[in-house]
């Protein structure tokens, strides 16, 4: 079960998305740091209009908000930034 937290140009400023951006040179280190926060796995996707992070959970009912808040803190963002994004649960 995939859990996705992300934000796009409709929900957040370019400044917030820029803070979530990972340069190609630093991406491996940043994803490794984020995995150490407790994510079982993590996929990072970024375009000029959106940033998304994907992880798995045992089921759709697992509350992953604490992980997303830790991710936001890692990037120097406040917990309020959580609400400038979206959370999606994807069943595959």
């Amino acid at each position: 079960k995939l859990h996705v937290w992300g934000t796009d140009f409709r929900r957040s400023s370019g400044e917030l998305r820029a803070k979530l951006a990972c340069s190609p040179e630093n991406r491996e280190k940043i994803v490794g740091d984020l995995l150490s926060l407790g994510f079982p796995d993590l996929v990072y996707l970024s375009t000029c209009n959106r940033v998304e992070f994907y992880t798995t959970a045992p089921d759709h009912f697992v509350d992953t908000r604490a992980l997303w808040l830790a991710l936001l803190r890692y990037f120097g963002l406040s917990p309020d930034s959580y609400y400038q994004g979206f959370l999606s649960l994807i069943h595959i």
Side-chain angles (χ1 to χ4, degrees):
K1 315 300 187 266
L2 290 178
H3 286 217
V4 181
W5 184 88
T7 192
D8 61 19
F9 70 96
R10 290 183 202 104
R11 293 176 179 82
S12 64
S13 67
E15 181 181 318
L16 184 137
R17 292 189 312 279
K19 288 182 179 180
L20 292 167
C22 302
S23 69
E25 301 81 28
N26 296 326
R27 193 165 296 144
E28 187 174 339
K29 179 199 178 312
I30 290 171
V31 169
D33 290 349
L34 295 173
L35 286 169
S36 73
L37 297 174
F39 287 95
D41 45 36
L42 191 70
V43 173
Y44 169 80
L45 173 69
S46 177
T47 71
C48 59
N49 291 323
R50 72 177 199 243
V51 177
E52 295 174 347
F53 297 90
Y54 295 77
T55 191
T56 58
D59 61 53
H60 292 304
F61 302 105
V62 171
D63 186 1
T64 54
R65 184 177 13 202
L67 289 173
W68 302 122
L69 292 174
L71 180 144
L72 293 171
R73 280 192 306 275
Y74 174 86
F75 286 104
L77 296 166
S78 75
D80 291 340
S81 300
Y82 179 81
Y83 300 104
Q84 293 177 6
F86 59 85
L87 180 64
S88 296
L89 309 176
I90 301 171
H91 181 73
I92 297 180

